[in-house]
């Protein structure tokens, strides 16, 4: 049995109840085979893959808080500090009822390679809670965030672990968490990214993941001789990533015709009205039927009632920006039958392994999330630099750096794929390019 197969078997046995984590490990280790096989004995002796798949530290804690009726509620909080070989742990906090240790580990594992790909000195981590922010008052959100940070603050710090936003955690939540950290630790430091602009946040951080997704997608298209202008794009999600991906796609001359949330989706033949979408989602925090009600060209589809989704719409480019495993083999077949040219993942692992392979086998350009959505964490690292320098850069300065980083990421993974004989396979390229730097740093730092 090869070393990769041996480790895969061990990881499966040890983490049998964590399918999302196993899916992420499966994808990464399988695509690292060409690198590992070149030096199998050394990697095995060093147990490098076993170390890579075992978080350095995992914290699980109780988060008690009092709701507006005076009732005590209890949630579970998590922080997985996965790998600090190339820098302090860095990765977002997800607040969603589906969060459990397997989700946090999958996200933290992916984050190791994503952060490495950015070229910036940041390690991999992730956190979250099964708390559901939907329908909660501002006061309840604050109570939860304060309680969550009361425990988390013992484990993080500007040079140790720097969390950020993710599903359910936006500027409001980061603000409450930052306030509580500062109060308890008596430290004004860049311990979180995605902060408000008046207290150390970076311009362009809000836009960074969505914009970055389009910068990378555009570079991938260009290097394959395709012009994004005039193309039809389907986007899923209606959160931070989806909104700014839509905005940048439109700035680049494409037409985005869909968006979605967990209950329904929109087809807008005139192209998504970003200002209206922001009003519905960022200001009113409403469901998407409110978008359709305000826009004659939009049709609202109820997901459960119709069993349909945004991937049923014919498009040239598909950008899944909602959540993991939202694009399955059936949707992949529909997209391919409708002539899709490229798929780039704004969300983390939104495409199932089967669907990914289907795209690759049918000549669709496919950019994996760890490369395509790295703009968020890259900009977070730029926020950390600004906090350390006690300086604030302009929007254009940050945006220019972000563009440079995304274009570099694409060329690095393209080159890594070519070097190992997998030209055009950007999944393999991203995993190898991300792995090489982390592996070198881990080996140089000894058995830790
Ligand atoms: P938001 O919470 O802002 O938005 C998430 C969107 O996806 C919402 O429209 C939400 O709908 C929908 N969604 C979430 N969970 C589900 C589900 N289980 N089924 C269907 N729809 C769902 O999150 P972000 O935009 O920040 O994150 C989206 C994805 O991008 C995630 O995978 C995240 O890990 C990834 N990502 C985010 C980064 C960032 O900087 N924010 C950076 C890199 C990756 P509803 O409101 O109805 O729940």
């Amino acid at each position: 049995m090869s070393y990769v197969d041996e480790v895969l078997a061990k990881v499966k046995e040890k983490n049998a109840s964590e399918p999302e984590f196993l899916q992420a490990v499966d994808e990464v280790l399988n695509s690292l085979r060409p690198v590992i096989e070149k030096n199998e004995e050394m990697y095995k002796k060093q147990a490098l893959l076993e170390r890579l798949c075992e978080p350095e530290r995992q914290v699980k804690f109780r988060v008690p808080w009092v709701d507006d009726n005076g009732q005590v509620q209890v949630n579970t909080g998590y922080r997985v500090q996965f790998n600090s070989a190339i820098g302090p742990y860095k990765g977002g906090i997800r607040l969603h009822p589906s969060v459990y240790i397997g989700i946090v580990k999958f996200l933290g594992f992916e984050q190791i390679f994503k952060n490495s790909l950015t070229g910036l000195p940041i390690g991999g981590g992730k956190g979250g809670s099964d708390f559901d922010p939907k329908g909660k008052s501002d006061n309840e959100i604050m109570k939860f965030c304060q309680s969550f940070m009361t425990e988390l603050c013992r484990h993080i710090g500007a040079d140790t672990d720097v969390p950020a936003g993710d599903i359910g955690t936006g500027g409001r939540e980061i603000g409450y968490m930052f306030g509580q950290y500062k109060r308890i630790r008596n430290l004004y430091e860049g311990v979180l990214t995605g902060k408000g602009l008046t207290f150390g946040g970076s311009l362009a951080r809000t836009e960074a993941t969505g914009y970055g997704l389009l910068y990378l997608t555009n570079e991938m298209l260009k290097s394959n001789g395709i012009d994004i202008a005039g193309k039809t794009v389907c986007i899923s999600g209606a959160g931070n990533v989806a909104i700014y991906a839509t905005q940048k796609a439109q700035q680049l001359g494409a037409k985005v015709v869909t968006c979605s949330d967990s209950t329904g989706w929109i087809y807008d033949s005139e192209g998504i009205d970003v200002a209206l979408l922001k009003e519905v989602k960022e200001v009113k925090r409403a469901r998407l039927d409110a978008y359709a009600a305000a826009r004659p060209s939009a049709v609202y589809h109820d997901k459960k009632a119709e069993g349909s989704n945004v991937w049923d719409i014919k498009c040239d480019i598909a950008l899944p920006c909602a959540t993991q495993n939202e694009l399955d083999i059936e949707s992949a077949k529909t997209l391919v039958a409708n002539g899709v040219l490229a798929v780039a993942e704004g969300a983390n692992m939104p495409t199932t392994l089967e669907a990914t392979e289907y795209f690759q086998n049918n000549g669709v350009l496919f950019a994996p999330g760890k490369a395509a959505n790295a703009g968020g964490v890259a900009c977070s690292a730029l926020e950390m630099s600004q906090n350390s320098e006690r300086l604030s850069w302009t929007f254009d300065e940050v945006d220019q750096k972000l563009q440079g980083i995304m274009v570099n990421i694409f060329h690095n993974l393209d080159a890594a794929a070519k070097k190992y004989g997998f030209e055009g396979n950007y999944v393999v390229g991203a995993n190898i390019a991300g792995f090489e730097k982390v592996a070198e740093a881990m080996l140089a730092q000894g058995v830790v």
Side-chain angles (χ1 to χ4, degrees):
M1 196 193 266
S2 75
Y3 175 45
V4 167
D5 288 321
E6 238 176 70
V7 177
L8 276 174
K10 276 192 221 166
V11 173
K12 277 180 191 155
E13 198 186 332
K14 209 169 169 183
N15 305 277
S17 57
E18 299 168 6
E20 299 84 359
F21 176 57
L22 294 180
Q23 183 181 339
V25 171
D26 208 39
E27 186 223 272
V28 171
L29 295 201
N30 272 314
S31 60
L32 291 179
R33 282 179 198 276
V35 186
I36 302 297
E37 279 160 13
K38 274 197 166 171
N39 234 327
E40 192 169 81
E41 222 173 287
M42 182 275 291
Y43 284 127
K44 187 170 173 174
K45 187 146 198 223
Q46 292 294 328
L48 192 92
L49 294 182
E50 288 91 332
R51 282 196 271 156
L52 199 61
C53 296
E54 184 74 34
E56 289 175 15
R57 189 174 300 105
Q58 307 182 45
V59 196
K60 180 177 177 187
F61 51 97
R62 179 171 70 201
V63 190
W65 56 281
V66 184
D67 72 16
D68 288 348
N69 297 319
Q71 174 66 47
V72 175
Q73 301 286 345
V74 181
N75 288 102
T76 308
Y78 304 89
R79 187 74 188 163
V80 172
Q81 299 179 329
F82 223 119
N83 192 302
S84 62
I86 62 168
Y89 311 105
K90 180 100 199 76
I93 292 171
R94 176 172 294 191
L95 301 181
H96 193 272
S98 63
V99 168
Y100 77 107
I101 191 66
I103 294 263
V104 185
K105 276 170 68 183
F106 121 63
L107 290 163
F109 184 71
E110 287 283 297
Q111 200 82 41
I112 304 170
F113 307 97
K114 180 190 305 193
N115 292 2
S116 168
L117 279 173
T118 65
L120 301 167
I122 37 178
K126 199 82 188 189
S129 171
D130 57 358
F131 172 76
D132 186 358
K134 269 196 212 96
K136 303 289 189 299
S137 69
D138 268 353
N139 184 52
E140 289 174 327
I141 297 281
M142 183 178 74
K143 293 272 179 56
F144 169 83
C145 290
Q146 290 181 337
S147 180
F148 183 80
M149 184 51 84
T150 301
E151 174 58 33
L152 187 68
C153 74
R154 305 166 202 263
H155 310 287
I156 61 175
D159 294 316
T160 308
D161 183 356
V162 183
D166 190 74
I167 291 180
T169 308
R172 173 181 59 169
E173 292 75 17
I174 293 289
Y176 292 145
M177 289 182 196
F178 181 76
Q180 186 73 349
Y181 179 88
K182 181 168 64 74
R183 185 176 191 201
I184 298 182
R185 298 285 299 269
N186 196 23
L187 272 178
Y188 203 110
E189 59 170 2
V191 66
L192 290 158
T193 56
K195 298 185 291 297
L197 295 176
T198 51
F199 53 97
S202 173
L203 285 162
R205 173 61 187 93
T206 307
E207 294 83 355
T209 309
Y211 278 23
L213 171 65
L214 266 297
Y215 294 146
L216 186 132
T217 303
N218 197 22
E219 195 61 22
M220 173 173 79
L221 292 171
K222 273 203 282 188
S223 77
N224 285 278
I226 302 168
D227 187 355
I228 194 169
K231 296 289 181 292
T232 300
V233 182
C234 279
I235 291 185
S236 63
N240 173 266
V241 181
I243 288 174
Y244 294 96
T246 303
Q247 189 169 72
K248 184 52 73 179
Q250 291 179 346
Q251 286 171 8
L252 293 172
K255 183 175 182 186
V256 181
V257 292
T258 64
C259 62
S260 67
D261 63 17
S262 50
T263 44
W265 60 280
I266 294 284
Y267 172 67
D268 189 335
S269 55
E270 296 287 306
I272 295 293
D273 178 339
V274 176
L276 175 60
L277 185 59
K278 281 188 189 177
E279 172 73 15
V280 169
K281 284 294 172 185
E282 292 179 348
V283 182
K284 294 188 178 145
R285 297 183 190 272
R287 313 306 304 162
L288 278 176
D289 46 1
Y291 176 97
R295 179 112 168 136
S297 56
V299 181
Y300 177 77
H301 298 267
D302 186 301
K303 256 186 212 170
K304 273 203 188 121
E306 298 182 21
S308 59
N309 65 41
V310 297
W311 315 124
D312 296 338
I313 300 295
K314 181 176 165 54
C315 65
D316 304 304
I317 299 163
L319 305 175
C321 296
T323 194
Q324 64 275 357
N325 293 327
E326 53 159 313
L327 202 171
D328 61 12
I329 184 68
E330 291 314 316
S331 299
K333 285 181 179 166
T334 308
L335 283 165
V336 169
N338 282 336
V340 73
L341 301 170
V343 178
E345 296 183 320
N348 284 310
M349 209 171 72
T351 317
T352 63
L353 286 175
E354 219 184 348
T356 303
E357 278 164 18
Y358 190 80
F359 286 132
Q360 291 177 322
N361 294 337
N362 284 279
V364 177
L365 303 173
F366 184 87
K370 63 174 72 68
N373 70 33
V377 75
C379 194
S380 278
L382 301 179
E383 183 174 330
M384 288 164 73
S385 301
Q386 293 170 78
N387 291 164
S388 305
E389 284 187 330
R390 303 263 193 276
L391 286 175
S392 298
W393 303 336
T394 64
F395 187 98
D396 282 347
E397 273 177 283
V398 180
D399 193 35
Q400 285 297 325
K401 285 186 168 62
L402 175 65
Q403 282 189 53
I405 290 168
M406 298 313 294
V407 167
N408 260 340
I409 291 178
F410 174 73
H411 290 292
N412 285 343
L413 60 90
D414 189 33
K418 283 179 182 150
K419 180 173 155 194
Y420 286 91
F422 289 85
E423 183 162 357
N425 187 333
Y426 304 131
V427 175
V428 169
N431 287 332
I432 292 179
F435 169 79
E436 281 183 326
K437 183 173 159 193
V438 176
E440 195 182 320
M442 284 175 74
L443 293 171
Q445 290 170 25
V447 182
V448 291

